[in-house]
Amino acid sequence: DLEARCGLMVFKGEADEEARGEKSYYGRWSATEYKGSGYVQVLPTNASEAALVLRGLRETGWIDAATRAVFVDVTVWNPALDLISLAKLACELPPTGEVASFLQLRTMKLRMIVPALQTPLLLLPEGALLAMTAGFMVLEARRARRSDPVDYLLSWWTWLEWCSMATFLAAFTLRLRPYWLVARVGFPPAPDEFVNYESAMWAVTQWQNLMALSTLILWLRLGKSLDRVLFMRRILRVLG
């Protein structure tokens, strides 16, 4: 499936942007924000038919001097490998007459975004971590009430604790968001129908980034336990 979109010709409003599953795009050439709505042409998967559509767009001047950006989105599904890939080619057309292009690629397992392919057993470990995080938040809140407010807020261990828990909660939210988005539009799409899964795949990517950040914070929190060991305490004091 192939989609081409002119980004700054006519905007149809936020409702159209949400319905199509498009995310806003911030230009590389300029700081312009291109909304997810605009003129859309879905190209058929047949090469000959797609060539006819493109020829018609060229003859009717679908891309003209007022066009500031053209986006081509390609979604590929490999059932044998259970992989879905998304490629976005963004072409900005500044008034100077040049073309600034940018290519973005995302590939992941289909079960990361399709709820029908996910089983509760795979989400059980993450659910257990969520329950543990909620328990730690309750314990930390009790400790905060018993502690001196100034000493509690000035301790960098306190900030690490709360940053760790907040990061994991945000990551878990992004973990479930793709299932909600894909459940609304369905999978797989009908023949010659383009469904943009960019928002769902973006959420998975951000979930992975937040989990990496949460892991880093957890490693830093180990210093709080190492401080109880005399030898490691001296090392930590030397390191500042």
Side-chain angles (χ1 to χ4, degrees), residues 8-146:
L8 278 182
M9 295 179 68
V10 174
F11 293 144
K12 301 177 184 177
E14 297 298 329
D16 180 64
E17 175 181 350
E18 181 180 356
R20 294 184 52 244
E22 284 280 358
K23 290 184 61 65
S24 297
Y25 178 88
Y26 292 89
R28 264 59 176 181
W29 182 84
S30 63
T32 305
E33 178 188 4
Y34 301 100
K35 297 291 186 178
S37 54
Y39 283 125
V40 179
Q41 177 61 57
V42 178
L43 300 181
T45 54
N46 182 277
S48 301
E49 296 178 1
L52 290 175
V53 174
L54 290 174
R55 187 179 299 114
L57 293 176
R58 183 174 183 178
E59 293 174 354
T60 55
W62 195 67
I63 299 176
D64 55 19
T67 306
R68 286 294 170 262
V70 177
F71 300 88
V72 181
D73 293 306
V74 181
T75 302
V76 180
W77 172 36
N78 188 328
L81 299 178
D82 190 33
L83 291 176
I84 183 170
S85 298
L86 183 144
K88 175 183 284 292
L89 175 62
C91 299
E92 293 184 82
L93 309 175
T96 55
E98 57 186 318
V99 177
S101 60
F102 176 78
L103 178 63
Q104 184 181 64
L105 299 173
R106 283 197 175 99
T107 300
M108 62 188 58
K109 287 289 186 179
L110 192 62
R111 58 179 172 81
M112 300 298 294
I113 65 172
V114 179
L117 300 179
Q118 187 63 273
T119 61
L121 184 61
L122 295 177
L123 292 176
L124 186 60
E126 295 181 46
L129 285 176
L130 179 63
M132 292 174 59
T133 301
F136 285 137
M137 292 183 69
V138 173
L139 294 177
E140 190 65 24
R142 291 178 178 176
R143 188 173 73 88
R145 287 195 305 173
R146 295 194 304 264

Side-chain angles (χ1 to χ4, degrees), residues 3 5 12-24 35-38 40 42 177 180-186 189 193-200:
E3 175 195 40
R5 169 165 60 86
K12 301 177 184 177
E14 297 298 329
D16 180 64
E17 175 181 350
E18 181 180 356
R20 294 184 52 244
E22 284 280 358
K23 290 184 61 65
S24 297
K35 297 291 186 178
S37 54
V40 179
V42 178
R177 180 172 172 78
W180 176 71
L181 293 174
V182 174
R184 294 174 57 194
V185 298
E193 176 191 8
F194 179 83
V195 177
N196 198 331
Y197 300 103
E198 180 182 3
S199 296

Side-chain angles (χ1 to χ4, degrees), residues 211-228:
M211 288 303 296
L213 177 60
S214 179
T215 302
L216 176 61
I217 297 176
L218 284 174
W219 275 104
L220 294 176
R221 287 175 58 190
L222 286 177
K224 185 175 182 179
S225 300
L226 295 176
D227 190 57
R228 301 175 182 176

